[in-house]
Amino acid sequence: MSDDTGRDTVDLDEKDVRILKAVASTGVTSPDKIHQETGIPKSTVHYRLDQLQEAGVLENDRYDMNLEKLGLSITLVSEIWATFDEGYHQTVGEKLTAIEGVNQVYFTMGETDFVVIAHVPNRQMVESLVADYEAIDEIRRTSSKFVITTLKDEPLAVNDFEYETLVNALTDAELDDDTAE
């Protein structure tokens, strides 16, 4: 199957979605725990997890998800300007985080008040998200961009640093030859 950007996606059914939702919302990777969460028989969960890994939707033993294969292939990065008022960052931030499909919300310094990131399946959802942003009374203006190519998307920030850098930055310990191994 292809999404509306022409990328290959995987055909999912309701059980696949329930399994993926359980993995994402609870962080469980055990078929037994997924069975307990979803009520789907353990053997079916195991089979479906194997199928989702073979299809590339689940990428590793932590079950990180390939959003393109899943069908959430459009990454939308939106800059949002809001009316300044006491506590607006909290009020507007909470409203933005409550919008379905929003994955990340950052209150920023500089000209832009908020940066919002969403991964969506189609252009209709892009339009819906932008309409939801603009329906918030405190929001004055938005500017949204589509990501053309993802060059890096590392969910675990510690992977972006060398071991020695992390030890020096995050601990009081001095590195010696014994701890570097």
Side-chain angles (χ1 to χ4, degrees), residues 75-86:
T75 301
L76 185 68
V77 179
S78 301
E79 294 178 282
I80 296 178
W81 291 264
T83 303
F84 178 81
D85 196 8
E86 187 174 329

Side-chain angles (χ1 to χ4, degrees), residues 86-158:
E86 187 174 329
Y88 81 106
H89 66 284
Q90 189 69 34
T91 304
V92 176
E94 287 173 2
K95 290 178 181 179
L96 289 168
T97 61
I99 296 173
E100 184 177 22
V102 167
N103 306 114
Q104 300 167 50
V105 177
Y106 301 99
F107 177 61
T108 62
M109 294 179 65
E111 292 183 23
T112 303
D113 293 308
F114 297 91
V115 173
V116 178
I117 299 173
H119 301 280
V120 296
N122 55 50
R123 293 180 181 157
Q124 292 79 17
M125 191 164 283
V126 169
E127 290 176 21
S128 177
L129 275 172
V130 172
D132 288 345
Y133 301 157
E134 293 175 348
I136 297 172
D137 290 335
E138 298 89 346
I139 291 182
R140 296 178 307 166
R141 184 167 77 93
T142 68
S143 175
S144 297
K145 296 146 187 69
F146 291 98
V147 171
I148 302 298
T149 303
T150 300
L151 302 173
K152 182 177 183 178
D153 183 14
E154 173 56 60
L156 303 172
V158 296

Side-chain angles (χ1 to χ4, degrees), residues 29 53 59-64:
T29 57
Q53 280 188 306
E59 296 183 323
N60 50 38
D61 292 340
R62 291 188 322 249
Y63 295 148
D64 290 334

